[in-house]
Amino acid sequence: MSTTHTADAHGNGHGHGSDDHGHDHIHAQPTNFLRRYVFSEDHKVIGIQFLFSSLIFFVLGGLMAMAIRWQLAWPWSPMPILSQTLWANQGYRMPPEFYNKLFTMHGTVMIFFVIVPILSGAFGNYLIPLMIGARDMAFPKLNMFSYWAMPFSFVAILNSFVVEGGSAEAGWTSYPPLSSFLQSTVGSLSGQTWWLVGLLFAGISSLMGSINYITTIIMLRSPGMRMFRMPMTVWALFITALLQAFALPVLTSALVMQLLDRTIGTNFFSPANWVVGNGPEKVGGGQTILWQHLFWFYSHPAVYIMILPAMGMVSDIISTFSRKPLFGYKPMVFATAAIAGLGFIVWGHHMFQSGMNPALGATFMLSTMMIALPSAIKVFNWLGTMWGGRVQFTTAMLNAIAFVAMFIIGGLSGIFMAATPVDMHIHDTYFIVAHIHYVLFGGSTFGVFAAIYYWYPKMFGRLMDERLGKIHFLLSFIFFNGTFFLMHIVGMHGHPRRIADPLIYGYLNNAGITGMNKFMTYSAFALGLSQIIFAWNFFYSLVGGEKAGPNPWKANSLEWTTTSPPPYYNFETLPTVYHPAYEFSVPGAAADFLPQTEPMPADAPPLDPVMA
């Protein structure tokens, strides 16, 4: 926007300078509590609101995961606390329908209320204006509305637990006809309807956020902040916002269509002449497979919506703690764009079992495998960045390295599923569960932990305890692998997913499944308990952590040039950018880092012409 902009002595009132970009108004921070902390238009407050909301749902989703693991390890055994309160009249055993609700809501909560909002909502909101040198988002009110659409979603999802029949139980994929007929299951009553309403509001929130992100990044970059000078975090959030903007309307349309099927009797997804529970024959005439096409057209790109921001953040963290420029910056940008683009044309690999034409299946197989190429570029560039660097093993760096390792394992197992003949064998087994958790929990969550430990001092002005952080990382890494790696093996033995008692299948009785399920469950409980260390470190450090200062990691990007936490208007003077954010160990520089606001030393080697 502006080239020279200053705040008054207190940062209040209006300060602006004339330039070729427009005016830079600095507005006073609201003094009203509701406007300052609740209905705030400040991108930083909104980011923190998303952060805390997501962490609360992270606890809820984790508790549901513990209940799932208990049932798989000790099928039909009384479960502590829940059995006494919920199932006393059913022999203290978890009903199979409740198990269906658990895995449905666990997947829904973790994907739509934890991973997506914490990466895009929390860190996107907090970081984008700071990293491009802007005062706020392009549309602050729209930004506020994007958060306040989420509580409607939270209420709808939580309400589904207490309505007649309980919460949805058709899986997070909500495949019809199980999801579209009220008579299908107990959870097909109003719980499924509330599930659809909840996701509609979540989608509206994400769409408003993505429009804001795209506009802000295109229009509000500070002077000198060319596109190829932006940190990878901003690039990843920009490409993720484009993904959301193009993919979300498809899912939103599908959700509305399924809602209409359930509420006013349309037949978008109801087959012809359908009958449920010996009831009268209904006309129908819709296509159940149509839902799968529409759902996966969004939900496969959604995998990248959930992991691309983490890739960007990890890139910045690895470069900072390797004290080296990011290896292959532009190939990393192009690889991110390629992954996003390919993500739109591979949705069919989730439907190999749907009876599609084998020629079409081969097309989806090849296009899916092509994603390995840009993914490999990113992995090699992360390793290339660390190679020969002065690596600092901070907690953030350890989590970033774990992200890379887990992404490699998750990516390799993804190749198995992309191959049509292999997918026929492992489809709907625990191999798939292992893959998605290595990508979305091992990948995204270690990325989230890395981002929290890295940007916590900027958000709250204090450092989290490094010793507790490393203990938390070590326990999480060990018990995460203890929980999920064996799922590959039980999956190859044919252990089905989404079933309350795998031992009803005779072929699993002698395959060591029970022992492995118990081991995974012990590990899962230990993994859950490990997060108490994180929670203590997070909340105690808010008041008792060491004060951070503006740039505790000696990093280069713009957010580290302002105070911690930043003032309401972000920057006293809008920064001018002279080079990319990865100029570490520059010959002739006074220190081993060179903030983007400082010109290159006169005797430094010339930059790449595009990035100069």
Side-chain angles (χ1 to χ4, degrees), residues 27-46 49 136 140-145 147-148 568:
H27 297 279
Q29 184 173 20
T31 55
N32 180 287
F33 179 83
L34 288 177
R35 291 290 309 280
R36 185 167 181 172
Y37 296 111
V38 182
F39 300 107
S40 175
E41 297 176 17
D42 183 355
H43 70 98
K44 300 181 291 297
V45 175
I46 294 169
Q49 287 173 327
D136 204 331
K141 288 189 186 301
L142 185 69
N143 207 22
M144 178 186 69
F145 291 139
Y147 175 75
W148 282 105
Y568 181 68

Side-chain angles (χ1 to χ4, degrees), residues 64-211:
M64 288 189 280
M66 297 302 101
I68 292 170
R69 288 308 318 171
W70 177 280
Q71 172 66 18
L72 289 172
W74 300 283
W76 317 126
S77 299
M79 187 180 301
I81 303 174
L82 285 182
S83 290
Q84 299 293 329
T85 55
L86 295 179
W87 309 310
N89 60 350
Q90 300 180 58
Y92 302 101
R93 298 174 10 155
M94 178 193 294
E97 296 84 0
F98 191 87
Y99 183 82
N100 293 348
K101 298 178 195 302
L102 277 177
F103 69 70
T104 296
M105 300 309 289
H106 167 71
T108 302
V109 165
M110 284 301 197
I111 289 172
F112 295 108
F113 297 94
V114 179
I115 300 298
V116 172
I118 202 169
L119 284 168
S120 293
F123 289 104
N125 265 301
Y126 198 92
L127 293 176
I128 286 175
L130 287 170
M131 296 184 95
I132 64 171
R135 299 240 181 258
D136 204 331
M137 287 286 179
F139 309 114
K141 288 189 186 301
L142 185 69
N143 207 22
M144 178 186 69
F145 291 139
S146 76
Y147 175 75
W148 282 105
M150 287 300 287
F152 291 100
S153 182
F154 298 155
V155 169
I157 286 296
L158 294 175
N159 188 52
S160 73
F161 284 99
V162 297
V163 296
E164 181 186 3
S167 64
E169 54 180 290
W172 78 277
T173 54
S174 192
Y175 279 176
L178 191 62
S179 58
S180 55
F181 298 149
L182 297 180
Q183 304 92 331
S184 296
T185 68
V186 175
S188 292
L189 297 175
S190 54
Q192 185 69 39
T193 304
W194 282 108
W195 185 92
L196 290 165
V197 173
L199 260 61
L200 273 174
F201 278 106
I204 292 169
S205 167
S206 294
L207 198 55
M208 287 192 285
S210 63
I211 292 168

Side-chain angles (χ1 to χ4, degrees), residues 213-271:
Y213 292 0
I214 293 167
T215 309
T216 302
I217 292 169
I218 291 176
M219 301 299 297
L220 297 187
R221 300 192 311 278
S222 64
M225 180 59 86
R226 302 170 189 168
M227 293 294 282
F228 279 114
R229 287 180 177 175
M230 295 194 310
M232 279 305 301
T233 297
V234 180
W235 265 113
L237 289 165
F238 179 64
I239 293 170
T240 300
L242 290 172
L243 270 176
Q244 286 179 317
F246 286 104
L248 260 174
V250 177
L251 177 67
T252 303
S253 302
L255 291 171
V256 171
M257 291 158 72
Q258 191 174 106
L259 197 59
L260 294 176
D261 275 4
R262 295 177 56 81
T263 53
I264 66 171
T266 56
N267 289 292
F268 291 108
F269 305 120
S270 305

Side-chain angles (χ1 to χ4, degrees), residues 279-442:
E281 184 175 287
K282 301 293 180 65
V283 176
Q287 295 289 330
T288 54
I289 297 296
L290 173 62
W291 167 266
Q292 293 190 34
H293 282 288
L294 296 176
F295 179 83
W296 287 115
F297 186 81
Y298 164 79
S299 294
H300 191 80
V303 172
Y304 304 111
I305 289 171
M306 287 181 268
I307 200 164
L308 287 183
M311 288 180 172
M313 295 169 196
V314 162
S315 300
D316 290 345
I317 293 168
I318 287 177
S319 176
T320 296
F321 293 118
S322 297
R323 313 311 292 173
K324 277 183 62 185
L326 184 66
F327 183 78
Y329 168 80
K330 282 190 285 184
M332 291 284 264
V333 173
F334 297 140
T336 305
I339 291 172
L342 289 169
F344 271 112
I345 61 172
V346 301
W347 79 91
H349 79 244
H350 293 273
M351 301 166 59
F352 285 149
Q353 302 278 15
S354 66
M356 70 169 61
N357 187 306
L360 193 57
T363 304
F364 279 120
M365 177 178 72
L366 291 174
S367 57
T368 304
M369 288 187 170
M370 286 174 62
I371 295 180
L373 296 175
S375 300
I377 289 172
K378 298 186 83 69
V379 171
F380 284 124
N381 285 5
W382 286 322
L383 298 178
T385 303
M386 287 185 277
W387 184 265
R390 290 180 290 111
V391 178
Q392 300 172 355
F393 292 103
T394 61
T395 307
M397 183 64 168
L398 290 171
N399 280 286
I401 294 171
F403 166 90
V404 176
M406 299 301 99
F407 176 69
I408 291 172
I409 296 174
L412 290 174
S413 63
I415 294 175
F416 287 92
M417 286 177 291
T420 312
V422 182
D423 184 74
M424 294 290 180
H425 176 65
I426 60 176
H427 185 81
D428 261 347
T429 70
Y430 258 83
F431 193 94
I432 311 297
V433 181
H435 165 73
I436 193 171
H437 281 88
Y438 264 92
V439 174
L440 294 187
F441 185 38

Side-chain angles (χ1 to χ4, degrees), residues 449-477:
F449 285 144
I452 289 177
Y453 282 106
Y454 185 66
W455 279 292
Y456 185 96
K458 183 53 59 181
M459 289 180 166
F460 303 110
R462 292 178 184 272
L463 291 158
M464 293 180 74
D465 186 279
E466 276 288 302
R467 183 172 57 87
L468 288 176
K470 287 174 181 173
I471 294 172
H472 165 244
F473 162 76
L474 187 62
L475 294 177
S476 297
F477 186 80

Side-chain angles (χ1 to χ4, degrees), residues 464 468 531-542:
M464 293 180 74
L468 288 176
Q531 306 318 306
I532 295 174
I533 301 171
F534 170 77
W536 167 263
N537 196 0
F538 186 97
F539 288 106
Y540 177 78
S541 298
L542 288 175

